[in-house]
Amino acid sequence: MPFGVVDVEQEEARYASAGQLRSERELRNVAAIDIGTNSTHLLVASVDPSLHTFSVDLAEKSTTRLGERDPDSGELTGPAMERVFETLKRFKELAASHQVEQVVASATSAVREASNGRDFLQRIQDQLGLEVDLLSGAEEARLIYLGVLSGMPFGECPHLLLDIGGGSTELILADGRDARALTSTRVGAVRLQRDFVKHEPIPPQRRSFLQTFIQGSLEPAVDKVCRRINPGESPVMVATSGTAMAIGALLASEDDRPPLRLHGYRFSRQRLDGLVEKLIAMTPEQRRIQTPINDRRSEIIVPGALILQTAMQMLAADELVLSERALREGLIVDWMLRHGLLEDRFSFQSSIRQRTVIHQVQRFAVNHRRAERVASHALSLYDHTHGVLHHDDGGGRDLLWASAMLHACGQHINLSAYHKHSWYLIRHGELLGYSEAEHLMVAAIARYHRRSLPKKRHLEWQALATREHRRLVAEMALLLRLAAAIDRRPEPVVAAIRVESADDDQVVFELVPEGLNQNLSLEQWSLKSCASVVKEASGVTMKVVVEE
């Protein structure tokens, strides 16, 4: 096992056996099926009507190779259709076992371009009772946009979304308010492999031809999105799909600290160029032994990588970020919109970080009211101790809030050493809208809010990428420690905390009681018990008083 990497399956089994992680609440289960050119995917999601969000319960994939059409007629072949048909039967049973109320299914370029595609969908409906929507290129792009929108904050910056499929490539220009351009081009990894790659390693002349063909195919889409980029804007480029994820996995495997998830992983065009040169010089057999990619992906990754490389060049993008959410998640968002579970498609964007944290609060049965009290105390301390207990410029405030809301989630596993369980649950949970580095910091702040200060030997400390990240975690964890120390009872007794600092070496905390004659001796004692840790971590002497 690589240094600092947790055996997730082993840990999940241990934690799952300790108790159910999901709190009981009214959820609506729905499944999405995507019949693609290379693979058929199933996603089962639990939709939370109260939070207007969803979580993924199951994700299955089968390499069905529907895009391997008859070379003469262009029709879907019997073996390919049978592979999809058998996969859909299995997926339908899986969805039923999760008691979904509806299965939303779609088919993309391989089916829409084949003359017998609609007949195949009719057979699926007649024999399996599964209605499959045949998506146009623009509709496919719209759903990809909804999927990415649900899992990544756009802010005020426009984003260029690139989804490289087996038979088509979708390019979208969008921001947090609207999709400005939705395009779909008939160029994909499977299509290029089938039509143009006859010998490998690809000869230089054939590679040059492929790049020219890709550029010509993408040119109308690139021109369209570029015309709609406003002067002064610098869009963020986002890539989705199996090709992009495989490339990201290969690049991440070269990192000193590989990310736990590829969602939010960034890499430069320079690194991509280097990887393309390596891949294109390999035989299929040599690519198959590359651990992060499977056999089928190794066959089509070169043309897919050339599409990605060419697109980045044409769009003058120096860096891109990966999104694990795309078409399938877009189908779930679209289902929520149609069933009145979202007021509009931007509900995710307005508070994507807050929603995902609250979702985890509910998932791990955290006492919501107490978590909010601790978070309120922590943010108050943050606002009033700048320059004394912390020197953050603002970026840590949101991480502190998230950690405060989730700091006690480990109690769902065991009260003993629950801060360590909290680190694991946060680290391996889904925090949409947070980068990989931010995700690590949120988990680490919760980890170090009690007991010992960080030590160099701790794997949780070593997992933090930079010295700056460690400094931020240490400071925010100290504030969370103080906030948690104040909240010792089931009901609120501390209305506010006043902070006074005579100089940089001393700070006075004044506890304001909720009501008259409220005894705060317990809270005063609890906060005072942190004095030695505060002194060790910051060099500051603290005094605790209660408002008279």
Side-chain angles (χ1 to χ4, degrees):
M1 185 184 301
F3 176 75
V5 175
V6 176
D7 186 331
V8 177
E9 292 185 0
Q10 184 182 40
E11 289 293 311
E12 287 285 9
R14 181 163 76 90
Y15 285 126
S17 66
Q20 179 133 7
L21 295 181
R22 186 187 297 265
S23 61
E24 294 183 4
R25 59 191 189 278
E26 292 299 321
L27 299 177
R28 298 178 66 176
N29 296 334
V30 62
I33 293 177
D34 165 26
I35 304 173
T37 301
N38 186 52
S39 306
T40 300
H41 295 259
L42 167 71
L43 184 148
V44 176
S46 294
V47 177
D48 190 326
S50 61
L51 280 180
H52 311 293
T53 188
F54 68 92
S55 61
V56 176
D57 294 335
L58 175 72
E60 290 281 332
K61 168 189 170 183
S62 180
T63 304
T64 44
R65 304 191 302 278
L66 191 60
E68 294 181 353
R69 292 184 284 165
D70 184 280
D72 298 321
S73 65
E75 292 187 342
L76 304 175
T77 66
M81 288 189 288
E82 196 58 33
R83 286 192 295 268
V84 173
F85 194 82
E86 291 302 314
T87 295
L88 292 178
K89 284 201 297 186
R90 186 172 74 255
F91 282 179
K92 187 180 177 184
E93 290 177 7
L94 274 172
S97 71
H98 283 75
Q99 299 179 321
V100 302
E101 60 180 88
Q102 188 174 351
V103 177
V104 183
S106 67
T108 54
S109 64
V111 178
R112 69 175 172 250
E113 293 173 16
S115 59
N116 60 342
R118 286 172 175 75
D119 293 337
F120 178 48
L121 297 187
Q122 187 63 53
R123 177 195 167 199
I124 292 172
Q125 183 168 358
D126 293 343
Q127 298 184 25
L128 295 180
L130 192 63
E131 185 175 351
V132 181
D133 289 331
L134 184 57
L135 303 179
S136 67
E139 177 65 2
E140 184 176 355
R142 183 186 75 87
L143 291 169
I144 291 166
Y145 165 54
L146 289 181
V148 176
L149 194 72
S150 75
M152 184 173 287
F154 281 28
E156 298 300 318
C157 184
H159 283 55
L160 286 166
L161 315 180
L162 184 74
D163 185 284
I164 303 168
S168 66
T169 293
E170 281 65 47
L171 179 62
I172 303 121
L173 174 65
D175 53 36
R177 293 174 296 276
D178 199 6
R180 303 184 196 175
L182 300 168
T183 73
S184 181
T185 302
R186 292 179 59 178
V187 60
V190 173
R191 188 193 299 271
L192 290 180
Q193 180 73 22
R194 180 193 64 205
D195 294 346
F196 299 112
V197 180
K198 307 302 180 185
H199 304 285
E200 294 194 81
I202 300 175
Q205 187 175 1
R206 174 57 56 166
R207 173 185 177 173
S208 178
F209 170 81
L210 262 178
Q211 290 172 315
T212 302
F213 179 84
I214 293 168
Q215 184 170 346
S217 300
L218 291 178
E219 196 165 12
V222 171
D223 286 347
K224 182 176 181 178
V225 300
C226 287
R227 286 197 305 272
R228 300 185 184 183
I229 297 174
N230 298 325
E233 290 183 331
S234 299
V236 175
M237 189 165 182
V238 180
T240 72
S241 80
T243 290
M245 290 298 153
I247 289 169
L250 286 168
L251 291 172
S253 68
E254 300 173 353
D255 294 348
D256 293 334
R257 300 175 185 271
L260 188 66
R261 297 176 60 215
L262 289 174
H263 186 78
Y265 182 69
R266 295 175 180 271
F267 58 84
S268 65
R269 176 157 39 122
Q270 184 178 13
R271 290 190 69 194
L272 173 63
D273 290 344
L275 180 63
V276 170
E277 294 305 317
K278 293 178 184 177
L279 292 174
I280 209 163
M282 293 179 182
T283 64
E285 292 73 22
Q286 290 172 324
R287 290 197 299 271
R288 287 190 189 101
I289 64 174
Q290 303 296 309
T291 304
I293 57 178
N294 58 34
D295 288 352
R296 176 54 178 167
R297 183 64 59 188
S298 68
E299 296 173 9
I300 61 175
I301 194 169
V302 168
L306 288 173
I307 295 173
L308 182 57
Q309 182 186 48
T310 304
M312 289 189 75
Q313 291 170 350
M314 295 176 72
L315 293 163
D318 294 325
E319 184 184 60
L320 64 76
V321 58
L322 295 179
S323 169
E324 291 180 343
R325 292 197 167 193
L327 175 60
R328 292 172 292 284
E329 290 78 10
L331 288 168
I332 301 295
V333 175
D334 193 55
W335 183 88
M336 293 172 68
L337 285 166
R338 288 186 282 108
H339 286 77
L341 300 179
L342 288 176
E343 293 180 4
D344 58 63
R345 64 184 180 277
F346 309 116
S347 295
F348 282 107
Q349 281 292 295
S350 62
S351 55
I352 187 169
R353 287 189 168 198
Q354 292 86 345
R355 288 177 187 276
T356 192
V357 169
I358 294 171
H359 183 82
Q360 296 301 317
V361 166
Q362 294 186 344
R363 181 187 179 202
F364 299 127
V366 173
N367 185 314
H368 199 151
R369 292 176 61 193
R370 293 195 67 174
E372 286 185 329
R373 288 207 303 267
V374 172
S376 177
H377 291 325
L379 296 183
S380 178
L381 290 169
Y382 177 96
D383 293 338
H384 294 95
T385 62
H386 185 270
V388 180
L389 296 183
H390 76 91
H391 301 82
D392 180 55
D393 59 3
R397 197 175 193 276
D398 188 49
L399 304 183
L400 175 61
W401 172 83
S403 300
M405 292 297 295
L406 292 168
H407 77 281
C409 66
Q411 293 180 1
H412 195 65
I413 304 303
N414 198 322
L415 285 174
S416 176
Y418 75 83
H419 53 297
K420 297 180 181 179
H421 299 304
S422 292
W423 180 89
Y424 177 83
L425 293 178
I426 297 170
R427 180 69 189 101
H428 295 279
E430 185 176 58
L431 287 186
L432 299 174
Y434 292 86
S435 69
E436 172 75 8
E438 290 171 332
H439 196 154
L440 276 167
M441 286 190 282
V442 170
I445 293 168
R447 160 66 174 87
Y448 291 110
H449 87 276
R450 65 194 295 263
R451 300 289 176 86
S452 68
L453 291 171
K455 292 181 171 56
K456 290 182 179 180
R457 68 174 184 271
H458 291 168
L459 291 179
E460 302 95 328
W461 191 244
Q462 294 170 5
L464 299 171
T466 68
R467 181 181 302 172
E468 179 62 24
H469 290 174
R470 295 188 186 103
R471 182 198 60 78
L472 181 61
V473 165
E475 291 181 346
M476 296 303 105
L478 189 63
L479 298 179
L480 180 54
R481 181 186 294 262
L482 298 175
I486 296 167
D487 188 72
R488 297 300 301 267
R489 314 189 204 197
E491 296 301 321
V493 294
V494 177
I497 313 165
R498 296 195 184 112
V499 181
E500 294 182 10
S501 55
D503 50 51
D504 291 346
D505 298 326
Q506 185 179 45
V507 62
V508 179
F509 296 108
E510 183 180 24
L511 303 181
V512 181
E514 279 276 353
L516 293 174
N517 302 318
Q518 177 73 59
N519 187 335
L520 296 185
S521 58
L522 173 62
E523 288 69 28
Q524 186 178 21
W525 168 83
S526 180
L527 195 55
K528 280 182 177 179
S529 69
C530 300
S532 61
V533 173
V534 170
K535 183 69 173 178
E536 181 183 352
S538 66
V540 172
T541 301
M542 59 177 282
K543 180 181 178 181
V544 183
V545 298
V546 177
E547 183 187 61
E548 303 251 341

